[in-house]
Amino acid sequence: MSKNRTITSVVYVIVVIALCAGKWLIPSGYGSLLFDALFTAIAVLGSLELIRALGCISYMQRAVTIVFCALAVPLYVIFEMFMGSGFAGIAYTMGAGMLAIALFFVIDHESSNLKSTGASIFVLIYAGLLSTILSAVNHLENSSMLAIMVLFISVPLTDAIAFVFGILLGKKVPLKLAPKVSPHKTVIGSVGGLIGGIGGAVAAYYLFTALGGDASLNTALPAWAAMIIIGFCISVVTQFGDLFESAVKRECGIKDMGKLLPGHGGVMDRFDGTLFAGIVVFLSFFFML
């Protein structure tokens, strides 16, 4: 692992710990706004990276896409905290954003075409909508602190243990996971990722309880069993998100989405798996727990 990658990873861990401390300690739910700021940054910076990588979006559609990606998380939070219906905020933001993108396809047809319109909507969903799902995890009515800890422990451990398994065992078990999309990823690395994701979810639960959190879960399963299932699903979706991002980059002919995070690439390179894993965490805690 390169020095830059290690330093970036350490800074990432420190930032996440600080955000968790703020969410836990700042009263009346306002500590959650710290994570919302992170998710807004992911939406905005991610949209910029994707627009640059795709390269086919007209200037007016670029502006609309960036604006609505920037509004997605804040409007969700406003609707959720003050009106009790965050998903209405998502519906309004995504709907208005898509209509605005379509509008410029009509009135700026010399610069905008079907390809640019489709790419704009793709960016709006990928960077904007998925970042908003992370905010939904952050504002779950029950166990949002546990959900955030599960997300931000299980996802990095999926990546880390997959990397370790790939390095140590990849040559002995060289079967490729998705050779046309990501030639360096191996099946044995993926197995390591599953172990990391499961271990991360279980560890997050017991760390949460050790810190005094209320971890009463509305499920017939023992807590450890529920965490194993959730961790497994998080790991699968995290690895899919990584492969999805690799497919996008291969389609665009680039190695990394950006250079903002030394050793990792861009924001989308770092948070691709997290964006998809947020869906699993939200659904798990909303419906299962």
Side-chain angles (χ1 to χ4, degrees), residues 160-185:
I161 305 301
F163 178 78
V164 171
F165 267 53
I167 292 294
L168 296 179
L169 302 173
K171 292 183 179 179
K172 295 179 180 179
V173 188
L175 184 63
K176 300 298 183 181
L177 182 64
K180 292 185 178 180
V181 172
S182 187
H184 298 296
K185 294 189 184 301

Side-chain angles (χ1 to χ4, degrees), residues 130-210:
L130 293 188
S131 295
T132 309
I133 299 300
L134 295 179
S135 189
V137 172
N138 189 34
H139 289 273
L140 281 164
E141 185 175 352
N142 299 311
S143 301
S144 69
M145 187 71 241
L146 174 58
I148 284 288
M149 289 177 65
V150 167
L151 178 66
F152 280 95
I153 294 177
S154 189
V155 170
L157 279 180
T158 292
D159 293 336
I161 305 301
F163 178 78
V164 171
F165 267 53
I167 292 294
L168 296 179
L169 302 173
K171 292 183 179 179
K172 295 179 180 179
V173 188
L175 184 63
K176 300 298 183 181
L177 182 64
K180 292 185 178 180
V181 172
S182 187
H184 298 296
K185 294 189 184 301
T186 59
V187 171
I188 193 66
S190 179
V191 171
L194 292 175
I195 294 171
I198 292 169
V202 173
Y205 174 79
Y206 286 106
L207 175 61
F208 179 71
T209 57

Side-chain angles (χ1 to χ4, degrees), residues 47 50-58 61-62 65 69 101 113-127 248 252:
S47 69
L50 286 166
I51 287 170
R52 182 172 59 249
L54 292 168
C56 63
I57 302 176
S58 70
Q61 288 180 325
R62 289 185 185 193
T65 304
C69 282
I101 290 168
N113 52 39
L114 280 176
K115 185 178 181 180
S116 71
T117 301
S120 298
I121 293 173
F122 170 75
V123 173
L124 183 64
I125 293 171
Y126 191 10
V248 173
C252 295

Side-chain angles (χ1 to χ4, degrees), residues 155 237-239 241-242 268-278:
V155 170
V237 176
T238 296
Q239 294 184 60
D242 193 25
M268 295 301 287
D269 296 302
R270 172 65 270 177
F271 291 100
D272 49 4
T274 306
L275 288 168
F276 282 90

Side-chain angles (χ1 to χ4, degrees), residues 17-51:
I17 291 173
L19 294 177
C20 284
K23 178 176 172 62
W24 196 309
L25 298 174
I26 298 175
S28 302
Y30 289 105
S32 297
L33 298 178
L34 299 173
F35 268 110
D36 292 325
L38 171 64
F39 302 147
T40 301
I42 293 172
V44 174
L45 295 174
S47 69
L48 291 170
E49 290 176 356
L50 286 166
I51 287 170

